[in-house]
Amino acid sequence: METENAVNYKFMGRSFNDLSINDDSSAFSDCNSDRSGEFSTASSQSRRLFLACTNSDNSDEFIRQLVSDLGSCSIDEQKNAALELRLLAKNKPENRIKIAKAGAIKPLISLITSTDPYLQENGVTAILNLSLCDENKELIASSGAIKPLVRALRTGTSTAKENAACALLRLSQVEENKVAIGRSGAIPLLVNLLENGGIRGKKDASTALYSLCTVKENKIKAVEAGIMKPLVELMADFGSNMVDKSAFVLSVLVSVPEAKTALVDEGGIPVLVEIIEVGSQRQKEIAAAILLQICEDSVVYRTKVAREGAIPPLVALSQSGTNRAKQKAEKLIELLRQPRSANAAASPSDL
């Protein structure tokens, strides 16, 4: 497995060595526990039991009973148990370990394959909430959760798809799971969610793809799945609230030649130049770093970037940007001003 780090900033505890982001806000809002409220469909009796038990010595027994109910022949009992476990794992971090130790993970995974959309959604979301605990991630993956989560990405409700993307993100934080997730068919489905999902779906998909695409084979899968088109469209839409996220995903992808070619073919160069002209400081820095990556070994791409009028905004960025943005801009200006004769031998990217 080959993992490549393209930029230098921190996301989910990981450091990158090429781009420093000086904005304190994070490009990605981390996929946290489900954001579906307090489940108005739950019975008042069940809620009272939940509230009583989570603060008493009876909570372990209550959890064990709920886990037992997951295997009930009654669909209603299964639904209620999944709902309560989902809520327990959402609101009390210590319950995530208790629920896993009580044996809930495998029966919850089995719910993800249910044809009942309500059961599937609650199974997915309970697994997401349990995966917030680092101690549970390896157990969830080894218990066979990846393929059912990928199935939920394909067949689930919009909420199930969004929460499946978040759960796969959590599991991908264990490095060994990244290839397994990619080989299970998740990448094209995440690309589809990025392109066609609602705003939360787009955010969740971009975050999962960012994590998964630190692995080279997943980068190529993403490009083959057509990721460049939605990325370029989202970067071009300053009202989408997705410019930063899309650019960060792109910054990971462009280390492979296939991504550079796809980016140019989808009209990404003028979009990146526009970001350098009118984007935020962070957006300008990311865009400059991406253009530098695609221009470093390609005279053809340098020519395209120069023809888009990149040099004036790059000069402005070299004078007024962050320290790292200034460095990127200066290096890129130097490349763009090199005469073609200085690079007589064509690079592989130009062939």
Side-chain angles (χ1 to χ4, degrees), residues 165-181:
C166 284
L168 289 169
L169 162 67
R170 291 293 176 179
L171 298 185
S172 76
Q173 292 169 346
V174 177
E175 197 69 23
E176 292 74 17
N177 291 336
K178 293 183 179 182
V179 168
I181 293 170

Side-chain angles (χ1 to χ4, degrees), residues 261 297-298 300-301 345-351:
T261 302
D297 60 352
S298 174
V300 171
Y301 292 164
S347 70
S349 298
D350 296 332
L351 299 178

Side-chain angles (χ1 to χ4, degrees), residues 277-293:
E277 289 176 335
V278 301
S280 68
Q281 285 297 319
R282 176 166 64 181
Q283 291 165 358
K284 291 178 180 181
E285 185 175 339
I286 304 167
I290 293 169
L291 286 175
L292 181 59
Q293 286 187 77

Side-chain angles (χ1 to χ4, degrees), residues 77-96:
E77 285 189 6
Q78 285 184 311
K79 288 180 177 180
N80 190 62
L83 188 68
E84 294 290 3
L85 288 169
R86 171 179 171 175
L87 185 56
L88 280 164
K90 173 182 178 179
N91 288 334
K92 292 183 73 71
E94 60 269 29
N95 284 338
R96 295 166 192 158

Side-chain angles (χ1 to χ4, degrees), residues 116-221:
D116 184 306
Y118 186 84
L119 272 177
Q120 183 189 57
E121 182 179 312
N122 281 289
V124 167
T125 311
I127 288 294
L128 163 61
N129 292 348
L130 292 175
S131 73
L132 300 176
C133 172
D134 288 341
E135 294 180 37
N136 289 339
K137 288 178 181 140
E138 290 188 17
L139 178 59
I140 291 170
S142 65
S143 296
I146 291 174
K147 288 185 178 180
L149 288 169
V150 172
R151 176 178 172 177
L153 267 180
R154 181 182 294 108
T155 66
T157 64
S158 60
T159 298
K161 289 178 180 179
E162 292 160 358
N163 289 342
C166 284
L168 289 169
L169 162 67
R170 291 293 176 179
L171 298 185
S172 76
Q173 292 169 346
V174 177
E175 197 69 23
E176 292 74 17
N177 291 336
K178 293 183 179 182
V179 168
I181 293 170
R183 292 177 180 176
S184 295
I187 303 294
L189 296 169
L190 288 167
V191 170
N192 182 64
L193 185 60
L194 177 69
E195 184 168 15
N196 299 309
I199 185 59
R200 181 188 158 193
K202 292 179 187 296
K203 290 178 179 179
D204 292 342
S206 67
T207 310
L209 285 163
Y210 173 81
S211 177
L212 290 166
C213 288
T214 58
V215 175
K216 184 176 180 179
E217 73 174 74
N218 287 344
K219 299 178 201 279
I220 296 171
K221 289 179 190 295

Side-chain angles (χ1 to χ4, degrees), residues 21-330:
I21 301 304
N22 297 309
D23 187 338
D24 289 337
S25 61
S26 173
F28 291 103
S29 55
D30 216 352
C31 286
N32 293 316
S33 60
D34 66 86
R35 288 154 278 182
S36 304
E38 295 303 317
F39 312 115
S40 59
T41 58
S43 70
S44 59
Q45 179 181 4
S46 178
R47 288 191 191 186
R48 285 196 297 270
L49 184 59
F50 162 72
L51 292 171
C53 290
T54 52
N55 293 312
S56 74
D57 294 335
N58 295 325
S59 60
D60 291 347
E61 182 179 349
F62 180 46
I63 288 171
R64 286 193 295 269
Q65 181 59 54
L66 291 173
V67 173
S68 176
D69 289 346
L70 290 175
S72 171
C73 295
S74 165
I75 294 294
D76 288 340
E77 285 189 6
Q78 285 184 311
K79 288 180 177 180
N80 190 62
L83 188 68
E84 294 290 3
L85 288 169
R86 171 179 171 175
L87 185 56
L88 280 164
K90 173 182 178 179
N91 288 334
K92 292 183 73 71
E94 60 269 29
N95 284 338
R96 295 166 192 158
I97 295 176
K98 289 183 179 181
I99 292 169
K101 287 183 176 179
I105 288 175
K106 285 190 175 180
L108 284 170
I109 290 171
S110 72
L111 297 188
I112 300 176
T113 64
S114 173
T115 56
D116 184 306
Y118 186 84
L119 272 177
Q120 183 189 57
E121 182 179 312
N122 281 289
V124 167
T125 311
I127 288 294
L128 163 61
N129 292 348
L130 292 175
S131 73
L132 300 176
C133 172
D134 288 341
E135 294 180 37
N136 289 339
K137 288 178 181 140
E138 290 188 17
L139 178 59
I140 291 170
S142 65
S143 296
I146 291 174
K147 288 185 178 180
L149 288 169
V150 172
R151 176 178 172 177
L153 267 180
R154 181 182 294 108
T155 66
T157 64
S158 60
T159 298
K161 289 178 180 179
E162 292 160 358
N163 289 342
C166 284
L168 289 169
L169 162 67
R170 291 293 176 179
L171 298 185
S172 76
Q173 292 169 346
V174 177
E175 197 69 23
E176 292 74 17
N177 291 336
K178 293 183 179 182
V179 168
I181 293 170
R183 292 177 180 176
S184 295
I187 303 294
L189 296 169
L190 288 167
V191 170
N192 182 64
L193 185 60
L194 177 69
E195 184 168 15
N196 299 309
I199 185 59
R200 181 188 158 193
K202 292 179 187 296
K203 290 178 179 179
D204 292 342
S206 67
T207 310
L209 285 163
Y210 173 81
S211 177
L212 290 166
C213 288
T214 58
V215 175
K216 184 176 180 179
E217 73 174 74
N218 287 344
K219 299 178 201 279
I220 296 171
K221 289 179 190 295
V223 174
E224 291 175 345
I227 193 174
M228 209 55 67
K229 179 176 180 290
L231 285 181
V232 171
E233 289 176 350
L234 289 167
M235 286 192 304
D237 182 1
F238 284 89
S240 69
N241 198 30
M242 289 288 296
V243 175
D244 298 56
K245 296 174 179 63
S246 301
F248 276 122
V249 175
L250 178 58
S251 73
V252 173
L253 293 172
V254 291
S255 61
V256 296
E258 295 88 343
K260 294 176 184 177
T261 302
L263 172 64
V264 175
D265 289 347
E266 290 293 342
I269 288 177
V271 172
L272 290 166
V273 172
E274 183 182 13
I275 290 173
I276 293 175
E277 289 176 335
V278 301
S280 68
Q281 285 297 319
R282 176 166 64 181
Q283 291 165 358
K284 291 178 180 181
E285 185 175 339
I286 304 167
I290 293 169
L291 286 175
L292 181 59
Q293 286 187 77
I294 69 171
C295 288
E296 280 177 328
D297 60 352
S298 174
V299 174
V300 171
Y301 292 164
R302 291 175 206 167
T303 302
K304 289 179 181 291
V305 172
R307 285 176 178 171
E308 285 297 331
I311 290 179
L314 284 169
V315 169
L317 184 61
S318 71
Q319 297 170 347
S320 62
T322 64
N323 288 336
R324 186 58 66 100
K326 290 177 181 178
Q327 293 172 11
K328 298 297 181 186
E330 289 167 359

